[in-house]
Amino acid sequence: MKRLAILFSLLITLISISACSSSEATSTVKVGISGSDTTIWDYVAEKAKEEGINVEIVRFSDYVQPNLALAEGEIDANAFQTVSYFDAFIKEHDLDLTPIATTVIAPMGLYSEKHGTPEDIPKGGTIALAKEATNMGRGLSLLQDAGLIKLAEDFDGNGALDKIIDNPKNLQFELLVAGQTPRVLPDVDGSIINNGIAVDAGLSPLKDAIYHEDETATAYINIIAVQEKNKDDQVLTKLAEIYQTEDVAKFIEKERDGNSIPTFVPLSEIGY
């Protein structure tokens, strides 16, 4: 009888140890980003650790390798790109990837030293616009959203001035390399400036732009992407949920001072 009691006690101990090991087990997720700034993902990683997820941040120096590495299974997810870039890249390279969550938008803005609103820009006014196709396309979309022009219905996001079908103010366009757009502000009525370039020039998209993108610019929202076969993976889904918490949103707003806006919208709104 005593022997049975000892065996029963040992069995209970083993079950307890097993249960503790299971509850304390962690899953490691490799997340690829572009660039060296890991501030936001460091914060997300700390919160994920509390949920038993170990986030390993993998840094890339370009916008090509994070998707290729994801497709090859070298990383489990990536978070560095807009919907527009992602859609074009996976189509060009025939990759079986998909978004599982949205993250932020880094808003492009219309800036002016002469006018306070887009409506104030006069007839015949001059707008500086990046001449690179993708930057120009995004800029034209912003001008359309601001009510200054109208684009063709089949506009595909690639910039070309002949895509403008209505220009009621007869606006003139000065086409420049994107990096030059802040420098011409004193000489034009408005300038479309990329987020990163604006920040480098000491401008705040939310405070200084007379008009800027928001969550309605769905093509330019950033995403977390995974392999299609892993889109319902519980650990990856949980990590996406952690990113989209109010706590993380407040951290992004404080850390980025409005230069990146938390934009947590349903995947259906970005076409998925």
Side-chain angles (χ1 to χ4, degrees):
M1 195 71 179
K2 184 176 180 181
R3 184 178 180 183
L4 287 174
I6 293 172
L7 288 172
F8 181 76
S9 177
L10 287 172
L11 179 62
I12 293 298
T13 301
L14 288 171
I15 291 173
S16 298
I17 292 172
S18 176
C20 289
S21 297
S22 176
S23 63
E24 293 173 1
T26 59
S27 299
T28 296
V29 177
K30 293 183 178 181
V31 179
I33 66 168
S34 181
S36 60
D37 187 355
T38 62
T39 308
I40 294 174
W41 272 102
D42 286 340
Y43 186 77
V44 173
E46 285 299 315
K47 294 184 67 65
K49 189 180 296 184
E50 299 171 5
E51 302 290 338
I53 302 173
N54 177 45
V55 176
E56 181 180 332
I57 302 169
V58 181
R59 295 181 293 183
F60 295 89
S61 60
D62 61 30
Y63 274 26
V64 174
Q65 293 305 314
N67 278 331
L68 298 181
L70 179 57
E72 292 296 323
E74 297 171 8
I75 56 177
D76 304 298
N78 66 40
F80 73 100
Q81 63 195 319
T82 65
V83 174
S84 177
Y85 179 84
F86 175 79
D87 287 346
F89 193 95
I90 63 171
K91 181 178 180 180
E92 178 183 353
H93 296 272
D94 192 26
L95 302 181
D96 202 17
L97 309 178
T98 189
I100 59 168
T102 58
T103 56
V104 300
I105 188 168
M108 174 179 276
L110 170 61
Y111 298 80
S112 178
E113 293 184 356
K114 300 176 181 179
H115 311 292
T117 68
E119 293 80 9
D120 295 336
I121 294 175
K123 289 184 177 181
T126 300
I127 304 294
L129 190 64
K131 64 181 181 179
E132 302 87 358
T134 52
N135 285 326
M136 187 194 300
R138 188 171 179 176
L140 291 175
S141 293
L142 181 64
L143 291 174
Q144 177 171 253
D145 292 341
L148 293 173
I149 61 171
K150 185 176 180 181
L151 299 170
E153 290 186 7
D154 62 351
F155 180 66
D156 61 2
N158 287 313
L161 295 182
D162 61 8
K163 300 292 181 69
I164 300 173
I165 61 173
D166 190 20
N167 183 3
K169 290 192 174 186
N170 192 30
L171 297 174
Q172 305 301 303
F173 297 96
E174 183 174 345
L175 303 183
L176 307 164
V177 173
Q180 299 296 320
T181 50
R183 298 182 184 181
V184 298
L185 270 172
D187 307 314
V188 297
D189 292 284
S191 184
I192 300 287
I193 307 177
N194 286 10
N195 182 282
I197 293 172
V199 173
D200 288 344
L203 298 169
S204 167
L206 297 191
K207 298 175 183 177
D208 298 321
I210 63 172
Y211 191 84
H212 62 77
E213 292 170 334
D214 58 22
E215 66 275 6
T216 62
T218 54
Y220 306 112
I221 295 173
N222 284 261
I223 57 169
I224 298 173
V226 301
Q227 291 188 11
E228 177 74 30
K229 67 180 181 180
N230 293 330
K231 66 180 181 180
D232 296 318
D233 181 90
Q234 292 184 354
V235 175
L236 294 175
T237 300
K238 182 62 179 177
L239 181 60
E241 290 173 353
I242 292 169
Y243 193 107
Q244 292 191 335
T245 58
E246 183 178 352
D247 189 29
V248 172
K250 289 181 178 178
F251 178 82
I252 294 170
E253 289 170 350
K254 180 180 179 181
E255 180 68 24
R256 291 289 184 263
D257 193 25
N259 297 330
S260 292
I261 305 172
T263 309
F264 307 152
V265 301
L267 294 178
S268 59
E269 291 190 17
I270 61 171
Y272 286 88

